[in-house]
Amino acid sequence: MEVIAERKTKTVYRDNDKTIKLFVENYSKPDILNEALNQARVEQTGINMPKLLEVTKMENRWALISEHIEGKNLQQLMEENPDKKEEYMNMFIDIQLNILSKTCPMLNKLQDKMKRKIEESDLSDTIKYDLNTRLAGMPKHNKICHGDFNPSNVIVKEDGTVYVIDWAHVTQGNASADVARTYLLFNLDGKKQEAEEYLQKFSEKSGTPKTYIQRWIPIVAAAHLSKASEEERKFLMHWIDVVDYV
Ligand SMILES: Nc1ncnc2c1ncn2[C@@H]1O[C@H](COP(=O)(O)OP(=O)(O)O)[C@@H](O)[C@H]1O
Ligand SMILES: [Mg+2]
């Protein structure tokens, strides 16, 4: 088996026409089953994605086995073809818009997840209160929000068909929250210019005012704190601090 990706908590292997996501021992069972259930639910919407084939254990470790999608992810393609960056960015946004045009009533609610993450964070009670007030005032929609939509989670096959992977964080909710999250992911990855280009283009293509999207930034930044490194924390605190900037 060939290793395709290595992370702190899992290793991703290719085994012929299958991808095996093998988690470290003692990885949260609810999180693994949640990822599997999310993937199964979103499969039914007709979005192009690898089908989940098995949830199993290998050497006492949980594994999720899916179809293998042969191709390159958009992050690799953007790096390899700088001249086509704009084309890939347009493609990236169109794919997200397609996902956000769909609903899937059984998914967990974005609003609930954000509320829980804010509560679990180590922010002061005052900041938590401000963030919760802002969250409660946001329009309640039910769009499919991928939750980790970044170019490495979009795979382009040789024939040009596009697949979206990594559905562990999907919820249903307000599309602008998902867009704010992608904006933040570009920034956390050190890609400030791409972040701004992305936000500008998404706003134009969707007819969503930028300020609608920016209002979600403090919330999605707070929700990301639990996963952040020390360096990322500083950056996130800056975004949370600007709670009153729009
Ligand atoms: N079904 C799949 N087919 C092809 N490649 C995959 C598949 N699942 C994952 N990969 C590759 O492995 C990488 C990591 O997997 P992913 O599910 O995105 O986990 P994470 O981003 O949480 O580490 C992806 O960026 C992709 O390159
Ligand atoms: Mg990924």
Side-chain angles (χ1 to χ4, degrees), residues 4-7 9-10 12-14 17-21 23 35 39 49-51 65-73 75-76 148 150-155 163-169:
I4 348 183
E6 202 132 34
R7 308 274 187 262
T9 54
K10 64 181 171 264
V12 185
Y13 298 92
R14 176 187 183 168
D17 54 355
K18 292 175 183 164
T19 294
I20 302 175
K21 243 178 157 172
F23 294 84
E35 176 167 347
Q39 194 170 338
M49 58 193 283
K51 294 218 161 30
I65 306 182
S66 306
E67 291 172 347
H68 182 76
I69 308 301
E70 181 76 70
K72 285 184 177 173
N73 69 47
Q75 187 181 334
Q76 295 170 307
D148 193 19
N150 73 74
S152 78
N153 284 332
V154 178
I155 302 180
Y163 286 73
V164 180
I165 61 167
D166 208 357
W167 293 89
H169 306 290

Side-chain angles (χ1 to χ4, degrees), residues 22-207:
L22 187 60
F23 294 84
V24 292
E25 225 171 306
N26 303 321
Y27 193 92
S28 154
K29 178 159 63 175
D31 283 356
I32 285 160
L33 298 181
N34 182 54
E35 176 167 347
L37 184 58
N38 286 342
Q39 194 170 338
R41 281 176 167 158
V42 181
E43 271 177 33
Q44 295 185 314
T45 64
I47 292 171
N48 254 357
M49 58 193 283
K51 294 218 161 30
L52 180 68
L53 302 172
E54 287 179 49
V55 180
T56 187
K57 276 199 139 180
M58 301 167 94
E59 289 162 17
N60 211 30
R61 293 161 67 181
W62 284 100
L64 297 177
I65 306 182
S66 306
E67 291 172 347
H68 182 76
I69 308 301
E70 181 76 70
K72 285 184 177 173
N73 69 47
L74 267 184
Q75 187 181 334
Q76 295 170 307
L77 288 169
M78 283 171 168
E79 279 164 16
E80 288 171 15
N81 311 282
D83 49 316
K84 287 197 186 167
K85 240 181 167 175
E86 192 167 339
E87 184 187 322
Y88 289 134
M89 184 61 89
N90 278 316
M91 202 169 149
F92 179 66
I93 292 170
D94 290 342
I95 297 159
Q96 189 174 26
L97 280 167
N98 178 54
I99 297 171
L100 292 169
S101 74
K102 301 193 185 279
T103 59
C104 183
M106 292 296 284
L107 290 177
N108 298 327
K109 297 210 162 55
L110 180 132
Q111 201 99 3
D112 294 344
K113 185 172 176 180
M114 294 293 158
K115 193 162 190 277
R116 178 167 46 80
K117 293 265 182 184
I118 291 166
E119 212 39 65
E120 282 170 4
S121 75
D122 53 3
L123 293 165
S124 73
D125 287 348
T126 318
I127 296 178
K128 283 185 185 178
Y129 180 83
D130 285 349
L131 290 170
N132 274 323
T133 307
R134 173 178 293 232
L135 179 62
M138 293 299 198
K140 287 169 191 61
H141 298 162
N142 62 349
K143 305 297 161 78
I144 297 183
C145 295
H146 181 279
D148 193 19
F149 197 72
N150 73 74
S152 78
N153 284 332
V154 178
I155 302 180
V156 185
K157 271 194 182 176
E158 295 262 281
D159 67 5
T161 47
V162 168
Y163 286 73
V164 180
I165 61 167
D166 208 357
W167 293 89
H169 306 290
V170 68
T171 54
Q172 54 177 327
N174 191 311
S176 291
D178 202 49
V179 179
R181 172 113 176 100
T182 297
Y183 173 77
L184 201 69
L185 291 171
F186 273 117
N187 274 302
L188 285 170
D189 201 22
K191 299 186 165 120
K192 279 188 140 184
Q193 197 191 329
E194 282 89 340
E196 299 307 325
E197 278 166 20
Y198 162 77
L199 186 59
Q200 178 63 33
K201 261 209 179 121
F202 189 97
S203 165
E204 281 167 19
K205 272 184 189 266
S206 64

Side-chain angles (χ1 to χ4, degrees), residues 219-237:
I219 297 170
V220 297
H224 195 69
L225 275 177
S226 61
K227 280 204 265 174
S229 65
E230 212 33 60
E231 190 160 331
E232 288 176 331
R233 266 190 78 84
K234 272 191 230 146
F235 177 82
L236 291 169
M237 290 309 291

